[in-house]
Amino acid sequence: QTHFQTFTFMILVVTSRVGLYGFDVGYAMLQQKQVEEKQRNAVGAVDGALTSVLTFAVYASTLRVSGDPGFLALTQTSATSVAFAALLFGVYLATYHEHEHAHVGSLHAGPSAVKPASWHPHTTQQLRSIDETGRHTHMHYSGPEIKDCVGSSCAAPAHDHSHDHGHSHTHF
């Protein structure tokens, strides 16, 4: 029975890595799409530092583990952490959406487009992705309204994305 349990454990570890790899690839893709190119190094440095601290915490916690009860606590903590990451990603998917739209007019097309004052903000990569028809993709918050409250006064958000943008939304 011990060999069967060991083999089952090894298979489950390998299988779990597929899901963790999927989270990692998804996170890298979102980071590339949403973090301004000029700030990616800083974001990557903070990400790497936090990952190193938490990896060290995992290694340090194994020093205090002895026997099956301690190992069970570590595996439960790991599984809970992965479930929490899945929950956070689900909240992200529920509150943000991506859509494609076009800025009408030949002055607005192409990577060297003239940026009129009426345009909404674009990241460097979004400006570069505007094609000759003026089409490009944006990510927007679409969750509940968040108000900027200080004391007893609340201001409306700077830009409300719940209104009609004059373009169709394609959810990815």
Side-chain angles (χ1 to χ4, degrees):
Q1 185 177 7
T2 305
H3 293 297
F4 176 74
Q5 289 173 338
T6 303
F7 181 74
T8 302
F9 174 74
M10 290 175 17
I11 293 297
L12 291 174
V13 166
V14 170
T15 305
S16 72
R17 297 296 168 214
V18 173
L20 293 175
Y21 178 73
F23 272 122
D24 193 41
V25 170
Y27 171 73
M29 188 178 94
L30 288 173
Q31 189 177 28
Q32 287 177 353
K33 283 181 126 181
Q34 295 181 341
V35 175
E36 177 69 40
E37 288 177 352
K38 296 173 186 173
Q39 298 169 345
R40 282 191 194 153
N41 285 338
V43 171
V46 171
D47 176 38
L50 289 174
T51 300
S52 294
V53 165
L54 292 175
T55 300
F56 176 74
V58 169
Y59 290 149
S61 67
T62 60
L63 294 175
R64 299 185 45 89
V65 171
S66 61
D68 291 342
F71 184 73
L72 180 62
L74 285 177
T75 56
Q76 288 174 337
T77 302
S78 176
T80 301
S81 298
V82 172
F84 183 65
L87 175 70
L88 287 177
F89 187 65
V91 168
Y92 169 81
L93 289 176
T95 56
Y96 283 85
H97 73 271
E98 189 174 64
H99 67 268
E100 186 177 79
H101 69 270
H103 293 279
V104 182
S106 60
L107 288 178
H108 303 189
S112 59
V114 175
K115 182 181 174 188
S118 63
W119 271 25
H120 48 260
H122 294 93
T123 63
T124 305
Q125 55 268 34
Q126 287 170 338
L127 280 173
R128 201 175 307 122
S129 72
I130 297 174
D131 65 16
E132 57 278 345
T133 65
R135 296 189 77 72
H136 66 113
T137 303
H138 274 286
M139 182 70 68
H140 290 289
Y141 174 75
S142 60
E145 182 177 335
I146 298 174
K147 294 188 178 191
D148 184 16
C149 296
V150 178
S152 61
S153 65
C154 291
H159 183 73
D160 178 18
H161 290 287
S162 62
H163 65 274
D164 181 24
H165 286 83
H167 55 264
S168 63
H169 289 82
T170 305
H171 297 272
F172 296 96

